[in-house]
Amino acid sequence: MPVADDELKGNAAIIADLRAHEGQITEGRLAGANMLLMTSLGAKSGRSRTIPLGYSRDGERYVVVGSNSGKPAQPVWLANIAVHPVVTVEVGTETFQARATISRDDERERLWRIHVRAIPYFANYERMVERQLQVVSLERLPPG
């Protein structure tokens, strides 16, 4: 399902704000939120796609959720990481490559609880949809 024009514009503004302010959101309802940018390769197109995502932490790993802001369909980036799991992460002033792994079973539940404790609003997204929200860990890859 293609991303709506208004969502693309909103994401572009968040991306610009993050990049202009050393990884900090300074404007709008997300000001001060923990956000990162994840760039993945399109599953079909092979083109780079950058998306802003709220994150929590599990040790050294970053945790993100495929909530699609409570929309019924999975976000496109989940299909991208299923085919191309190596992504680029921009968080704070750092940029690095990471392996994106969709969590399953007990690990999914554990990471979900961590994420909802860090960002309680995500519990609302789960109530808005009939699908199970996918929980993804981003593990930094060694340089090189």
Side-chain angles (χ1 to χ4, degrees), residues 6 9 13 21 40 45 50 55 67 78 93 100 127 132 134 137 139:
D6 60 334
K9 288 177 186 172
H21 299 101
S40 60
S45 70
T50 301
Y55 72 85
S67 66
L78 283 169
T93 59
R127 288 189 288 273
Q132 184 179 58
Q134 300 297 300
S137 63
E139 188 166 355

Side-chain angles (χ1 to χ4, degrees), residues 31-81:
N34 286 337
M35 300 284 292
L36 61 75
L37 299 178
M38 183 182 75
T39 301
S40 60
L41 294 177
K44 294 178 184 175
S45 70
R47 295 196 326 233
S48 291
R49 306 280 189 214
T50 301
I51 184 92
L53 297 166
Y55 72 85
S56 59
R57 296 292 299 264
D58 179 47
E60 294 297 312
R61 298 186 302 172
Y62 292 86
V63 177
V64 296
V65 172
S67 66
N68 204 10
S69 298
K71 294 182 184 88
Q74 298 279 21
V76 173
W77 62 263
L78 283 169
N80 295 348
I81 65 169

Side-chain angles (χ1 to χ4, degrees), residues 4-137:
D5 284 344
D6 60 334
E7 190 174 346
L8 287 173
K9 288 177 186 172
N11 283 349
I14 292 169
I15 291 166
D17 191 23
L18 281 166
R19 287 180 171 159
H21 299 101
E22 297 182 331
Q24 300 298 312
I25 295 287
T26 63
E27 299 177 2
R29 66 181 179 81
L30 296 174
N34 286 337
M35 300 284 292
L36 61 75
L37 299 178
M38 183 182 75
T39 301
S40 60
L41 294 177
K44 294 178 184 175
S45 70
R47 295 196 326 233
S48 291
R49 306 280 189 214
T50 301
I51 184 92
L53 297 166
Y55 72 85
S56 59
R57 296 292 299 264
D58 179 47
E60 294 297 312
R61 298 186 302 172
Y62 292 86
V63 177
V64 296
V65 172
S67 66
N68 204 10
S69 298
K71 294 182 184 88
Q74 298 279 21
V76 173
W77 62 263
L78 283 169
N80 295 348
I81 65 169
V83 174
H84 304 288
V86 175
V87 298
T88 301
V89 174
E90 297 172 58
V91 60
T93 59
E94 288 189 279
T95 300
F96 57 89
Q97 294 229 291
R99 177 165 309 283
T101 303
I102 299 172
S103 301
R104 304 276 183 234
D105 304 321
D106 290 345
E107 178 71 350
R108 185 255 177 223
E109 294 307 314
R110 186 181 74 77
L111 293 177
W112 172 250
R113 286 190 302 273
I114 288 170
H115 198 74
V116 170
R117 266 195 311 271
I119 312 171
Y121 195 81
F122 272 80
N124 294 330
Y125 292 144
E126 186 176 52
R127 288 189 288 273
M128 295 167 70
V129 298
E130 294 181 16
R131 63 186 171 85
Q132 184 179 58
L133 301 182
Q134 300 297 300
V135 180
V136 176
S137 63

